[in-house]
């Protein structure tokens, strides 16, 4: 099994990066692994931490219509150039945390995706240079308010609600070029999405290169590489699970967004997915 790099939080509120062992213990790193973090002699037992999203990106850059069959199901051709958009870091939640259905939307969709984690500053890179900037791989769900996407002239609102980017559960360094991505709804046996990641129109290193010629990617940033065909709606009470061969699975349930709280939690708590 590939080494699994996690980000965890202890009950006192301490955040750590670490290596998840088969016995579910986490061996603590002294810094984020893409910044040269080294293993320490400190271990956390399974009951001593909660798993967070595996990184805390400064930005999430996503790609639209990067699988030909998905573009077709949306009734559009494959874009001539990568179609990029962004999701805010506050959209990120960890595996097992709930997607909140916002009252502004009448339809939210799941989009299971392979996510890239950037390990080094990346600006104006060639695809060959960009390949070395990809530190590892994880899983994402690009939740989309489809009705708002169709109504607005841009995608910020449709893609940007808090909880609209489940990410995790961990990062692996290597991934087979032909790894399968599958999405399951409500524990059904048959996946609603199923595709090999090598059927992307534009490869991961080409995507990172393209983005780097627009904006600088920083260590810990995340790139969502697009979703295969089979996207569909989510309802309150649904459970969505995305599996990528060689990584694992990411799962979230769907709940109604709570009413506004007259005593909201601190901003630090709100953005620590």
């Amino acid at each position: 099994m590939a080494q699994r790099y996690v980000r965890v939080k202890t009950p006192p509120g301490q955040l750590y990066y670490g290596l998840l062992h088969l016995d579910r213990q986490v061996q603590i790193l002294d810094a984020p692994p893409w910044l040269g973090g080294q293993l320490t002699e400190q271990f956390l037992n399974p009951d001593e931490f909660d798993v967070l999203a595996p990184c805390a990106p400064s930005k999430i850059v996503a790609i639209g219509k990067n699988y030909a069959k998905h573009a077709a199901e949306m009734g559009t051709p494959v874009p001539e150039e990568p179609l990029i958009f962004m999701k805010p870091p506050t959209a990120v939640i960890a595996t097992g945390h709930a997607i909140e259905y916002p009252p502004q939307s009448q339809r939210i969709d799941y989009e299971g995706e392979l996510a890239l984690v950037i390990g080094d500053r990346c600006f104006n890179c060639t695809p060959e240079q960009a390949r070395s900037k990809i530190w590892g791989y994880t899983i994402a769900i690009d939740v989309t308010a489809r009705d708002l996407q169709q109504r607005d002239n841009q995608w910020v609102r449709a893609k940007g609600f808090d909880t609209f980017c489940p990410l995790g559960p961990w990062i692996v360094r290597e991934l087979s070029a032909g790894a399968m991505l599958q999405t399951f709804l409500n524990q059904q046996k048959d996946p609603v999405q199923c595709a090999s990641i090598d059927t992307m129109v534009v490869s991961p290193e080409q995507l990172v290169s393209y983005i780097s010629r627009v904006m600088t990617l920083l260590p810990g940033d995340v790139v969502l590489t697009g979703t295969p065909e089979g996207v569909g709606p989510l309802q309150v009470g649904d459970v969505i699970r995305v599996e990528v061969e060689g990584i694992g699975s990411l799962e979230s349930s769907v709940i109604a967004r709570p009413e506004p709280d007259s005593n909201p939690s601190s901003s630090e708590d709100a953005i620590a997915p």
Side-chain angles (χ1 to χ4, degrees), residues 34-49:
W34 44 87
L35 297 181
Q38 298 297 307
L39 289 170
T40 69
E41 295 183 358
Q42 181 180 359
F43 285 80
L44 295 174
N45 293 316
D47 60 351
E48 295 178 320
F49 63 85

Side-chain angles (χ1 to χ4, degrees), residues 11 45 62 72 75 88 90-91 102 106 110 151 157 174 194 209 213 219 221-222 233 261 272:
N45 293 316
T90 46
Q106 300 303 308
Y110 58 81
R151 184 187 311 167
R157 183 165 65 135
E174 304 291 338
C194 183
S209 172
R213 298 181 185 190
D221 282 351
V222 169
D261 189 348

Side-chain angles (χ1 to χ4, degrees), residues 98-102 105-110 143-144 146-147 164 185-186 188 232-240 252-257:
I99 298 164
E100 296 180 359
Y101 203 125
S105 177
Q106 300 303 308
R107 173 167 172 163
I108 65 170
D109 283 6
Y110 58 81
V143 184
T144 304
R146 193 68 72 197
D147 54 344
F164 269 27
L185 185 63
N186 295 328
Q188 295 174 356
L234 290 168
Q235 307 295 335
V236 171
D238 283 347
V239 176
I240 189 74
S252 289
S253 58
V254 182
I255 64 172
R257 172 157 290 185

Side-chain angles (χ1 to χ4, degrees), residues 1-236:
M1 177 178 289
Q3 290 186 318
R4 299 169 294 174
Y5 292 87
V6 293
R7 180 169 161 262
V8 300
K9 184 177 182 179
T10 64
Q14 296 169 304
L15 301 179
Y16 296 104
Y17 288 91
L19 188 64
L20 182 66
H21 289 261
L22 292 176
D23 62 3
R24 307 297 294 183
Q25 283 192 322
V26 168
Q27 187 174 3
I28 299 302
L29 292 157
D30 58 13
W34 44 87
L35 297 181
Q38 298 297 307
L39 289 170
T40 69
E41 295 183 358
Q42 181 180 359
F43 285 80
L44 295 174
N45 293 316
D47 60 351
E48 295 178 320
F49 63 85
D50 292 319
V51 175
L52 303 178
C55 56
S58 75
K59 55 186 171 293
I60 303 153
V61 186
I63 308 298
K65 303 175 184 176
N66 196 31
Y67 289 80
K69 290 184 179 180
H70 171 58
E73 76 176 346
M74 301 302 289
T76 61
V78 173
E80 293 184 5
E81 296 182 276
L83 176 60
I84 65 174
F85 60 93
M86 298 181 72
K87 295 174 81 79
T90 46
V92 174
I93 57 173
T95 189
H97 289 220
I99 298 164
E100 296 180 359
Y101 203 125
Q104 296 96 322
S105 177
Q106 300 303 308
R107 173 167 172 163
I108 65 170
D109 283 6
Y110 58 81
E111 297 185 12
E113 309 204 7
L114 173 69
L116 316 176
V117 179
I118 302 300
D120 192 14
R121 186 178 184 274
C122 186
F123 169 72
N124 205 25
C125 293
T126 66
E128 292 73 23
Q129 292 168 331
R131 186 178 294 110
S132 68
K133 307 292 186 180
I134 300 171
W135 192 86
Y137 305 88
T138 189
I139 307 170
I141 304 172
D142 175 19
V143 184
T144 304
R146 193 68 72 197
D147 54 344
L148 302 185
Q149 183 185 34
Q150 295 169 351
R151 184 187 311 167
D152 296 349
N153 290 326
Q154 40 70 32
W155 297 0
V156 173
R157 183 165 65 135
K159 299 283 190 176
F161 284 96
D162 286 2
T163 75
F164 269 27
C165 190
L167 190 68
W170 41 68
I171 302 167
V172 301
R173 298 297 313 275
E174 304 291 338
L175 194 66
S176 168
M180 294 299 298
L181 184 156
Q182 298 186 96
T183 301
F184 297 86
L185 185 63
N186 295 328
Q187 313 301 330
Q188 295 174 356
K189 179 180 178 181
D190 295 325
V192 290
Q193 291 183 288
C194 183
S196 172
I197 61 172
D198 61 6
T199 59
M200 291 181 194
V201 175
V202 183
S203 69
E205 59 267 23
Q206 291 172 319
L207 292 176
V208 171
S209 172
Y210 183 87
I211 295 165
S212 78
R213 298 181 185 190
V214 178
M215 66 190 80
T216 301
L217 292 167
L218 301 175
D221 282 351
V222 169
V223 175
L224 308 188
T225 58
T227 195
E229 69 171 329
V231 301
L234 290 168
Q235 307 295 335
V236 171

